[in-house]
């Protein structure tokens, strides 16, 4: 007993010294966080000289060069065979669509005007698409989801036909929390899924009806794709698509189209939310020609790493995409889509976290990788390519911590988790948030489906527990109500517009700096403690082992 007590007495000072050193390292990291660093990165990455950072442009070259320079300055090691760069083979397709789409309804003509009524593009490298009198089918939500006992394609063959579908899920329109996930969008509600399912069903085209609330953004965002480059990963299936036309129609155009077909749009929409709904022919035929041109090129993922001292093959990933929309349609006299909040601010956040890790002077036990993918705005293609062609072992990737769309409003009381309830990362983040006097909040607009719209999604699909969180819904001085008003204004007036700019005299980065500190501490625990995040059984990404 005496020997044991003596041993413990000798160990206690060692433990205390170790804990003190650990806290000292964390203190060094937190002191390294600087609003000036954040402002410099945001201002540089979102400057007009970056021309909106569209892939395949001089804006990409400039942005990637800056990212490489910053990673080297921070002392991060290259990830891709002595390089910070991963080449991502891609195809840019421009679809020349007609000014007017012609439909025949009971032998009477009906027109949809480009930009005013519809936008469309062709996801194929085939040079010419000719659609002649294809039948229109109202296919409800265009969903085939066995786990929800839902199949809009049951009893109808849509091969060679054009389906018209609703955006979001049935639960959004009914308010029934037992129908899918109620107001919270699932992946089945995303427009990308609708096009994917149309391809699987053999439809020749898919037109989604746009409505602001269920889509989560105005027509200006959804309808901006006519005659503009669309990016895809360079894969053989681009030459052999079944679904040759993807697109949207406006709410008003849908109302008029259904009326011309002798249907009531609102009544048809209500029918589509019922489990016994049967998709049906609209007794209309659509004709259109599309001319495609395409360019094959290579875009760039950028990543650097801090190698772990004990478990270097186990990795924590921080991610923030670098790309934005380039130079586009003029809005209020400006055509450069600077993307300051989306996503220059998140890159600045990531770099400041990297600086914090390096400021400790001690390598973490696990490796920490800082990843800035391309082509997020085009469909998460950069992160999807990274996950499919990883420089690390994805099966030993402990977590992905992603950030996207930052509001420059100052300090927040909340930490909003988009996609709350998928893994034990939520509880770990709650523990760290409490230390900063903050609380965890769910996404105030789950109908927007943001959990499926940023770069954590490919990691989630690969089985990596991932989190997308930030200060967002409760600014300290403004309160929840006023903060929500500003959130609504952001999505309506700033998101994916040239107005997404950084103005140092106006924008308050205190909240972003606090998020840097919080997410450094969060990631530092994952990197240094024996934590293996687990899935929750109600997550669609949960799999039985």
């Amino acid at each position: 007993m005496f020997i044991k007590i003596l041993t413990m007495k000798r160990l206690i000072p060692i433990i205390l010294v170790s804990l003190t050193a650990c806290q000292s390292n964390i203190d060094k990291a937190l002191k390294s966080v600087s609003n000036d660093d954040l402002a410099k990165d945001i201002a540089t990455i979102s400057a007009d000289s970056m021309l909106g950072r569209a892939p395949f442009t001089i804006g990409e070259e400039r942005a990637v060069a800056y990212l490489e320079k910053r990673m080297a300055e921070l002392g991060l090691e290259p990830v891709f065979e002595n390089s910070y760069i991963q080449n991502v083979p891609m195809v840019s397709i421009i679809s020349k669509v007609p000014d007017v789409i012609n439909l025949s309804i009971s032998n009477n003509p009906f027109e949809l005007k480009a930009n005013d009524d519809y936008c469309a593009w062709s996801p194929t490298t085939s040079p010419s698409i000719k659609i002649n009198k294809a039948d229109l089918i109202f296919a409800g939500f265009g969903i085939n989801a066995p786990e929800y006992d839902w199949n809009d394609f049951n009893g109808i063959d849509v091969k060679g036909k054009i389906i018209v579908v609703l955006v979001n899920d049935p639960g959004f329109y009914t308010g029934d929390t037992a129908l899918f996930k109620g107001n919270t969008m699932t992946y089945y509600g995303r427009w990308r899924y609708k096009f994917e399912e149309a391809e699987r069903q053999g439809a020749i085209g898919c037109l989604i009806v746009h409505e602001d609330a269920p889509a989560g953004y105005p027509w200006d965002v959804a309808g901006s794709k006519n005659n503009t480059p669309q990016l895809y990963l360079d894969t053989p299936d681009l030459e052999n698509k079944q679904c040759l036309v993807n697109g949207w129609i406006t709410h008003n155009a849908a109302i008029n189209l259904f009326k011309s077909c002798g249907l009531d749009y609102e009544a048809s929409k209500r029918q589509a939310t019922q489990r016994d709904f049967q998709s049906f022919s609209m007794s209309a035929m659509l004709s259109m020609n599309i001319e495609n041109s395409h360019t094959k090129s290579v875009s760039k993922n950028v990543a650097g790493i801090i190698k772990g001292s004990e478990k270097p093959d186990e990795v924590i990933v921080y991610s923030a995409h670098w790309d934005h929309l380039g130079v586009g349609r003029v809005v209020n006299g400006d055509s450069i889509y600077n993307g300051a909040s989306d996503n220059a601010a998140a890159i600045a956040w990531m770099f400041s976290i990297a600086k914090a890790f390096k400021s400790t002077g001690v390598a973490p036990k696990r490796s920490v990788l800082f990843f800035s993918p391309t082509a997020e705005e085009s469909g998460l293609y950069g992160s999807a390519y990274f996950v499919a062609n990883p420089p690390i072992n994805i099966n030993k990737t402990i977590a992905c911590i992603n950030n996207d769309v930052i509001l420059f409003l100052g300090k927040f009381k909340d930490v909003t988790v988009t996609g709350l309830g998928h893994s034990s990362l939520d509880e770990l983040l709650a523990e760290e948030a409490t230390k900063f006097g903050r609380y965890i909040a769910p996404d105030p607009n789950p109908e927007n489906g943001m959990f499926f719209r940023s770069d954590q999604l490919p990691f989630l699909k690969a089985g990596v527990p991932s989190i997308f969180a930030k200060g967002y819904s409760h600014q300290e001085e403004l309160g929840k109500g006023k903060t929500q008003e500003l959130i609504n204004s952001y999505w309506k007036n700033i998101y994916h517009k040239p107005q997404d700019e950084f103005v140092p005299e106006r924008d308050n980065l205190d909240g972003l700096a606090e998020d840097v500190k919080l997410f450094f501490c969060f990631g530092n625990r994952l990197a240094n403690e024996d934590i293996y995040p687990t899935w929750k059984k109600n997550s669609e990404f949960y799999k039985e082992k």
Side-chain angles (χ1 to χ4, degrees), residues 79 305 311-319 366-371 383 386-402 423 425 455-456 458-467 526-527 531-535 545:
V79 176
I305 195 169
K311 300 177 180 178
D313 57 336
E314 295 186 1
V315 183
I316 313 300
V317 175
Y318 286 92
S319 59
R366 288 169 168 153
S367 296
V368 184
L369 187 143
F370 300 89
F371 173 48
S383 52
F386 177 92
V387 169
N389 303 273
I392 56 176
N393 188 339
I394 285 294
N395 295 325
K396 289 191 175 183
T397 301
I398 302 302
C400 172
I401 307 166
N402 183 55
S423 77
L425 289 173
D455 288 300
Q456 70 279 347
F459 287 91
L460 288 162
K461 287 182 173 181
V464 178
S466 305
I467 199 162
L526 287 168
I531 297 172
Y532 291 89
T534 56
W535 292 101
K545 291 186 178 180

Side-chain angles (χ1 to χ4, degrees), residues 135-192:
D135 289 332
L136 255 61
I137 303 293
F138 178 54
F141 291 88
I143 291 174
N144 178 17
E147 68 272 33
Y148 289 106
D149 190 27
W150 195 278
N151 187 359
D152 286 317
F153 300 97
N154 188 33
I156 192 165
D157 184 1
V158 299
K159 290 183 175 64
K161 300 172 184 178
I162 293 176
I163 59 173
V164 177
V165 300
L166 304 170
V167 71
N168 215 307
D169 301 311
F172 173 85
Y173 296 88
T174 64
D176 181 356
T177 57
L179 191 57
F180 284 70
K181 291 188 176 181
N183 195 45
T184 299
M185 184 189 286
T186 71
Y187 186 65
Y188 294 110
R190 288 284 291 135
W191 58 268
R192 186 166 300 283

Side-chain angles (χ1 to χ4, degrees), residues 29-74:
L30 298 183
K31 287 178 182 178
S32 76
V33 179
S34 159
N35 283 31
D36 289 342
D37 285 348
L38 292 166
K40 180 181 177 182
D41 281 332
I42 297 169
T44 303
I45 296 167
S46 65
D48 281 355
S49 61
M50 292 289 181
L51 298 172
R53 307 189 306 279
F56 299 172
T57 68
I58 187 66
E60 167 170 4
E61 293 179 21
R62 292 170 179 171
V64 168
Y66 182 76
L67 297 182
E68 286 187 278
K69 172 175 169 288
R70 289 290 286 124
M71 287 189 176
E73 289 173 348
L74 290 164

Side-chain angles (χ1 to χ4, degrees), residues 30 88 91 135 188 297 300 355 364:
L30 298 183
V88 182
V91 179
D135 289 332
Y188 294 110
S297 191
K300 312 288 186 184
K355 180 182 178 184

Side-chain angles (χ1 to χ4, degrees), residues 10 48 66 120 142 264 290 326 350 420 454 496 504 509 518 533:
R10 289 173 177 170
D48 281 355
Y66 182 76
D264 182 280
I290 298 176
M350 184 176 71
L420 188 66
S454 196
H496 280 194
L509 301 183
L518 169 60

